[in-house]
Amino acid sequence: MADDSDHHEAPAPAPASPQARAAGLLRRPKLWLLPTVLTGLLALLLSLLYMGGIVNPNGALHDLPIGVVNADRGEPLPGQQENLGTQITRSVTSDTSGTSDTVDWRTLTTAQAQDQLASGKIYGALVVPADFTASVAALTTANAEARPAITVLTNPGMGSFGSSLASRITQQAAQQASLAIGKELTAAPATAQAGSTARLLLADPVTVTTKVGHPIGEHSGLGLTAFYYTLLLVLAGFMGSNIIGTGVDSALGYADTEIGPWHTRRPTVPLSRTQSLLLKMAMTAGITVLSTTLIMVATVAILGMDASHLPLLWIYSYCATLAVGLGVQAINAAFGGIGQLVSMFVFIVLGLPSSGATIPLQAVPGFYRFLSLFEPMRQLSDGVRAILFFDARADAGLTRAWLWIAIGTALALLFGFAMTRYYDRRGLNRLTPQPA
């Protein structure tokens, strides 16, 4: 007979914990609080920032740079002390034109105007030709048939909106000047005996023709490829750094990897915050070589975007993307879980409306002009525009762009490693619970 004392029953399995249900969790106010507040604030801020920069460009317009060239060499008309080119220049640039607060009229020579168009310093120019006064004087003769012309030069490399805005303002100013001169001409004794055709022409003696002052290629998106190419560089740096950071954290066991229903957690590799940041930044520098190359292959080789100075464009693109990537890594290391949101505001949310690449900075409210002084996207877009449209001229914004790339890279390194070394000295290690 078996001894009952030798018989041991297996312990009963522990009862499984009851799983929560969504219907019950939805009744918890605290579960709603943080996502609701953050989502609402994000929607409000995005709406105010993006729409605030474009909703009223005419009302916000201030000091848009436009050139005025007086090449007129004719003698003054009888009874007048100045030739008509001088009168038009004075009329356009004075308060009587109605644009003194919105436009920065720059009186330039022909060579200076071409130089400033080619360096992106002006959005357009109004040019009075050398024979303008003589052409107007001919209207009083029997052979008068057509009005003399002055020329509006556009600068499409400054963006389609900025160039068209300058063209519209210049044409309106020229038309007002023409009507003002017409009043003087029709009232002058020298034209009192002119025929009806001549008097009709003298009443509005100027016709305005529009020409491209500094042409760009047909595959330049009407001047917008500079903006979209810059946006590609910023997004490559922003998203690439976040992907690298997530991948490294997953590979080293500091974050879970979830793909569909599959979940993995690798063993944690002990690593200080400083060494973790160094690893991510080094990988960012290496992987950016590939992403920059592929951006140029896609935009230039496949899509046929007009671009010159290709070696310089690649080097600039790499340095710009790397500067953004290092900045994102530094912000993520400093702010942790909300770092991606912070870096999104720094590089994208605040950068887009203050870039000046679509809407001129002279046509946005003062808050955005203030942001443009240091926001990365404005600095980077100036450099891209200089390379693509303005023959890589240093004074077209390329020097400023290189300077800010250097400053941004230095700030990212200093800020990132200063914060991680501080966390390490305080013993704030990245402690992560291991899976059971």
Side-chain angles (χ1 to χ4, degrees):
M1 183 175 180
D3 188 0
D4 291 341
S5 62
D6 294 333
H7 178 69
H8 300 280
E9 294 183 359
S17 300
Q19 291 189 347
R21 298 184 65 85
L25 294 176
L26 286 174
R27 290 193 291 268
R28 296 186 180 182
K30 291 184 178 180
L31 190 65
W32 287 80
L33 181 61
L34 185 60
T36 302
V37 171
L38 291 181
T39 303
L41 285 176
L42 184 61
L44 177 64
L45 289 175
L46 288 177
S47 302
L48 292 175
L49 289 171
Y50 285 161
M51 298 303 294
I54 66 170
V55 71
N56 187 18
N58 290 319
L61 190 62
H62 182 72
D63 287 343
L64 186 73
I66 302 175
V68 180
V69 178
N70 177 24
D72 191 359
R73 297 295 177 263
E75 294 295 327
L77 295 177
Q80 299 185 2
Q81 297 180 349
E82 299 173 322
N83 65 20
L84 296 181
T86 303
Q87 294 181 43
I88 290 176
T89 301
R90 186 179 67 251
S91 175
V92 168
T93 58
S94 66
D95 291 344
T96 58
S97 67
T99 58
S100 58
D101 294 330
T102 59
V103 179
D104 175 19
W105 294 106
R106 301 180 180 182
T107 304
L108 308 169
T109 65
T110 301
Q112 289 173 336
Q114 289 296 335
D115 182 72
Q116 294 203 16
L117 286 168
S119 60
K121 290 183 171 60
I122 56 177
Y123 283 83
L126 178 66
V127 180
V128 182
D131 61 346
F132 182 74
T133 299
S135 299
V136 173
L139 293 178
T140 60
T141 68
N143 297 324
E145 295 180 353
R147 293 184 295 170
I150 61 177
T151 303
V152 171
L153 299 179
T154 63
N155 196 356
M158 299 299 289
S160 57
F161 181 86
S163 181
S164 63
L165 179 62
S167 177
R168 177 175 59 81
I169 292 173
T170 307
Q171 290 178 8
Q172 289 176 351
Q175 184 63 32
Q176 292 175 4
S178 175
L179 294 175
I181 294 173
K183 290 181 179 179
E184 296 181 7
L185 292 177
T186 54
T191 60
Q193 303 301 321
S196 59
T197 301
R199 292 183 63 84
L200 181 62
L201 292 176
L202 289 173
D204 187 9
V206 179
T207 182
V208 182
T209 60
T210 302
K211 296 181 180 179
V212 177
H214 181 74
I216 59 176
E218 294 183 358
H219 295 170
S220 299
L222 300 177
L224 291 177
T225 51
F227 165 71
Y228 284 101
Y229 189 88
T230 303
L231 182 60
L232 285 174
L233 300 182
V234 173
L235 289 176
F238 172 77
M239 294 192 298
S241 292
N242 284 320
I243 291 172
I244 291 170
T246 302
V248 169
D249 287 344
S250 298
L252 300 183
Y254 290 94
D256 295 350
T257 301
E258 291 188 71
I259 302 177
W262 294 279
H263 170 271
T264 59
R265 162 66 72 86
R266 297 179 181 274
T268 303
V269 177
L271 191 68
S272 68
R273 292 180 181 270
T274 300
Q275 289 298 310
S276 176
L277 178 60
L278 179 61
L279 173 63
K280 293 175 182 178
M281 285 188 167
M283 293 181 63
T284 300
I287 295 176
T288 299
V289 173
L290 175 63
S291 59
T292 299
T293 301
L294 292 178
I295 287 175
M296 286 194 63
V297 168
T299 57
V300 180
I302 298 177
L303 298 177
M305 181 185 76
D306 287 321
S308 56
H309 308 282
L310 293 181
L312 174 61
L313 181 61
W314 186 91
I315 294 172
Y316 179 87
S317 301
Y318 173 78
C319 294
T321 305
L322 179 60
V324 173
L326 296 181
V328 172
Q329 296 291 15
I331 291 174
N332 289 347
F335 291 95
I338 65 170
Q340 293 187 17
L341 186 61
V342 174
S343 59
M344 183 183 74
F345 266 86
V346 171
F347 291 102
I348 298 177
V349 174
L350 297 178
L352 284 173
S354 63
S355 66
T358 52
I359 305 295
L361 291 174
Q362 294 83 2
V364 298
F367 171 70
Y368 299 93
R369 291 196 289 271
F370 168 74
L371 289 177
S372 71
L373 297 176
F374 53 86
E375 263 298 317
M377 192 171 291
R378 186 275 170 103
Q379 327 307 329
L380 299 183
S381 65
D382 281 355
V384 171
R385 186 158 54 190
I387 296 173
L388 293 182
F389 302 145
F390 301 121
D391 199 29
R393 289 182 49 160
D395 59 347
L398 188 56
T399 297
R400 175 186 172 88
W402 278 121
L403 177 63
W404 276 98
I405 287 175
I407 292 174
T409 301
L411 289 176
L413 295 174
L414 289 173
F415 176 70
F417 286 112
M419 294 302 296
T420 55
R421 286 178 63 85
Y422 170 75
Y423 292 154
D424 287 338
R425 286 197 302 268
R426 292 287 304 272
L428 301 175
N429 300 319
R430 302 183 68 191
L431 301 178
T432 327
Q434 297 292 332

